[in-house]
Amino acid sequence: MPVQFGKRASTACVGGVVLLLASSIFLGGADGPMATSMCVLGLLLLAAVAAWLNLSVPMETLFLGGLLGVAALSGLAGNWDMARTEWLQLCGAVAIWTAGRTLGTERYLVKLSWYALMGTLMAIGLLAILAYGLDVSGGLGVSRMKFTFGSPNSFAALMAVGAILSVGHISYKLTQHTSQEISLVSRFGQLPGKTILSMSALVVCGGCVMLSLSRAGFVLMVLACLFVALVSILSAPDFRRYWKRLIVGHPFASAAGLLAACFMVALLLGAETQFGARASDLHVDAMDRWAAFGEYWSVWQQKPLIGHGLGSFNHVNERLTNLENAPYLVTLGAAHNVGLQWLIQTGLVGTALMAAIWLAMHFQIIRALRKRAEGANFGFIVAVLAVSVYFSIHSMIDFPLELPGIMWIYSFVLGLACGVAASEIRKSEAERVQTQNQT
């Protein structure tokens, strides 16, 4: 295959993947049989193109495909009409992961995907802000931003991904593309023009999270962004010198900055603001969620090993609902806890397999970090790990990963990170073999 043709085709493949992911968002997260089928067909085609460009299919894809067959059979024990939709959504996740895994082995494609994801999420955020400003059905400034999603919390999760990826890109540029002879604060003035996109995406996506009034989304997004920034700064080669200059050399300025940040958070959570009103009602939602978790936990214990069957959650939820628990069980067809929902449908066996796949992917990614991935690869891997931690916690109290559009975006960034990890590990092994041969 000509090198130039392969590069252009790979670039087009990245554009196709991101465009299809954006389309799934505009289709309500592809949370419907028709929208899901359309998106999955496109994802499978793009995964096939990506695998063809690399002239090989990752072995992990064949393993995941076998597990999907088992998952499809498990649908026979539940509601097959619903199981078929969930099976298609899982097929889409494997396809998009395969595309990311294949494209992630090329460094320039990783950076291109990084830019494309930030730009796409920022564009979705801008459209959401426009739609929010034109929507006066709930009164000015009263409704929560949710765009095409039924849940503002799920929309906040999507926008949080854009904010985290943006912080990762800014931190990478600060530590790798600015002068090491000036202070860390002064480096912002030396940031290259490409960071305008990431800064804009951070402002837009972070603003959308705030307008969604999602308490968990906002807090977890801030913590994830701080994690990315801290890891990037700690990994900088000149960290020790600038720590002394910034913190030790200017203790009063540092303390004032910390107090100002605490004041801004306290002001945001004030009782007179909508965010403050949401924060004051936290204990009410927590009690309802805890009561719902208790009901679902008892249902899972009826069939703890194999569950009630893939796609059976809505049927189980309807059977469980009565006049007493209806206020907190009628929750848009989700348990507000992805792990518990998987336990109900697939039991310990299916949930353990899903957890094992997730852990294996992250083991590979963390192993690449231990091999000292550098530059854009390091920055992207750190950002993806922060996104993964965000979803792992948020999905235990809500259901963003139950929406295919969000799950596929998560699958794509995980696939890219796994591709980066595989490339870094191969490079490290090749260098080790070369060193042994020379000695």
Side-chain angles (χ1 to χ4, degrees):
M1 180 189 302
V3 176
Q4 194 65 23
F5 172 77
K7 188 172 183 178
R8 290 177 179 174
S10 300
T11 303
C13 190
V14 170
V17 169
V18 175
L19 181 62
L20 196 52
L21 289 174
S23 300
S24 70
I25 300 303
F26 290 109
L27 291 172
D31 194 16
M34 184 61 68
T36 297
S37 301
M38 291 171 56
C39 291
V40 167
L41 287 175
L43 290 172
L44 289 173
L45 177 61
L46 287 168
V49 172
W52 173 71
L53 290 172
N54 201 27
L55 302 180
S56 64
V57 178
M59 292 301 297
E60 301 97 329
T61 301
L62 301 178
F63 174 72
L64 292 175
L67 290 181
L68 277 178
V70 176
L73 291 176
S74 73
L76 298 177
N79 185 340
W80 176 242
D81 289 336
M82 288 301 298
R84 180 171 52 201
T85 302
E86 295 208 15
W87 181 73
L88 281 173
Q89 292 167 358
L90 290 174
C91 283
V94 172
I96 196 67
W97 181 88
T98 301
R101 166 68 171 75
T102 307
L103 296 170
T105 56
E106 297 291 338
R107 185 165 180 166
Y108 80 95
L109 289 177
V110 174
K111 295 181 71 172
L112 177 62
S113 300
W114 202 351
Y115 286 121
L117 283 170
M118 287 190 299
T120 300
L121 293 174
M122 182 182 70
I124 293 173
L126 288 173
L127 288 174
I129 292 174
L130 179 61
Y132 180 76
L134 295 176
D135 180 19
V136 295
S137 58
L140 292 175
V142 174
S143 60
R144 298 174 61 190
M145 180 182 286
K146 56 185 178 181
F147 198 40
T148 59
F149 294 86
S151 167
N153 296 324
S154 297
F155 176 67
L158 176 68
M159 291 293 100
V161 174
I164 296 169
L165 291 177
S166 301
V167 169
H169 186 252
I170 295 170
S171 300
Y172 152 66
K173 290 293 186 181
L174 279 174
T175 55
Q176 301 292 331
H177 290 266
T178 55
S179 173
Q180 298 183 7
E181 302 301 324
I182 58 177
S183 68
L184 187 61
V185 176
S186 300
R187 291 186 183 186
F188 281 94
Q190 285 196 349
L191 285 173
K194 293 180 180 179
T195 52
I196 294 177
L197 172 64
S198 49
M199 289 182 175
S200 302
L202 175 60
V203 172
V204 172
C205 294
C208 287
V209 173
M210 294 182 64
L211 289 174
S212 72
L213 301 181
S214 174
R215 296 161 299 203
F218 176 73
V219 173
L220 292 174
M221 178 194 71
V222 171
L223 292 177
C225 291
L226 288 176
F227 167 79
V228 172
L230 184 61
V231 171
S232 300
I233 293 173
L234 289 175
S235 64
D238 54 348
F239 163 72
R240 187 183 301 274
R241 180 159 58 95
Y242 287 114
W243 171 264
K244 291 181 179 179
R245 178 187 295 182
L246 183 64
I247 305 298
V248 180
H250 304 281
F252 294 106
S254 302
L258 180 62
L259 289 175
C262 293
F263 175 75
M264 292 296 294
V265 173
L267 185 63
L268 179 65
L269 299 178
E272 298 300 323
T273 64
Q274 292 188 48
F275 219 110
R278 290 267 303 156
S280 64
D281 292 339
L282 180 61
H283 66 285
V284 178
D285 287 345
M287 292 176 61
D288 289 344
R289 298 282 174 88
W290 188 255
F293 293 164
E295 296 279 1
Y296 292 131
W297 186 263
S298 63
V299 170
W300 165 65
Q301 290 180 324
Q302 297 174 7
K303 295 183 179 181
L305 287 180
I306 61 173
H308 295 264
L310 189 67
S312 63
F313 179 79
N314 288 341
H315 175 70
V316 170
N317 196 46
E318 291 175 2
R319 188 183 63 191
L320 185 64
T321 305
N322 53 45
L323 291 177
E324 295 180 358
N325 58 28
Y328 50 82
L329 287 190
V330 183
T331 56
L332 297 177
H336 284 85
N337 185 314
V338 173
L340 186 55
Q341 188 158 331
W342 268 93
L343 279 173
I344 292 172
Q345 294 187 110
T346 63
L348 281 173
V349 176
T351 305
L353 283 173
M354 184 67 71
I357 294 170
W358 185 86
L359 289 173
M361 292 179 181
H362 286 77
F363 175 79
Q364 186 180 25
I365 295 171
I366 293 173
R367 184 185 172 197
L369 281 181
R370 294 181 60 189
K371 297 292 184 180
R372 301 304 301 166
E374 297 177 350
N377 285 351
F378 177 84
F380 184 74
I381 287 178
V382 171
V384 171
L385 286 176
V387 168
S388 195
V389 171
Y390 173 91
F391 275 128
S392 300
I393 300 175
H394 198 183
S395 295
M396 293 298 103
I397 54 178
D398 222 295
F399 55 94
L401 290 181
E402 283 296 315
L403 294 175
I406 297 179
M407 177 179 64
W408 291 338
I409 288 178
Y410 181 42
S411 300
F412 185 52
V413 296
L414 270 185
L416 286 169
C418 288
V420 171
S423 177
E424 290 290 337
I425 292 171
R426 282 200 304 268
K427 182 172 66 175
S428 178
E429 293 296 329
E431 291 175 353
R432 182 180 63 83
V433 172
Q434 185 178 5
T435 303
Q436 288 179 348
N437 293 335
Q438 290 176 352
T439 57

